[in-house]
Amino acid sequence: MATPTNSGVSSGLRVRVDQGACTGDGLCVTRAPSVFEHDIDGLAYVKTADGDLLTEPGARTVIPLPLVDAVIDAADECPGDCIYVERPDGTLEAGPGS
């Protein structure tokens, strides 16, 4: 397996949250607080590596390599089934329908 050129970034795995299905439970924020955050509406959103909250519907962010397992666990255990982890080609790695 090749070593990524930027060891802080996964091999292109991205994550998004469907706020329409989000229950605001907070499991994702607890598991990976540098990737997920609640906004003032009480729903979870993804953040960039710089910590900028992405509130546009369907916004995706690249998952930092050290957090891939935590983000996948959050997607698999999310009570709202609203977290989608996608490969670079758009296929699902984890989340509803994977």
Side-chain angles (χ1 to χ4, degrees), residues 8 15 26-38 45-54 61-68 70-71 74:
V15 62
L27 178 106
C28 58
V29 176
T30 302
R31 295 280 166 92
S34 60
V35 176
F36 302 103
E37 182 177 321
H38 284 124
Y45 293 83
V46 294
K47 299 191 293 188
T48 66
D50 294 329
D52 296 324
L53 194 62
L54 303 176
T61 192
V62 174
I63 305 168
L65 190 57
L67 298 174
V68 168
V71 170

Side-chain angles (χ1 to χ4, degrees), residues 4 6-16 32 34-36 46-49 60-75 83-88 93-94:
N6 181 349
S7 61
V9 177
S10 67
S11 6
L13 287 179
R14 300 172 302 162
V15 62
R16 68 180 174 90
S34 60
V35 176
F36 302 103
V46 294
K47 299 191 293 188
T48 66
R60 293 164 173 78
T61 192
V62 174
I63 305 168
L65 190 57
L67 298 174
V68 168
D69 289 340
V71 170
I72 288 174
D73 286 346
I83 300 171
Y84 296 82
V85 177
E86 301 168 340
R87 297 179 188 135
E93 176 73 19

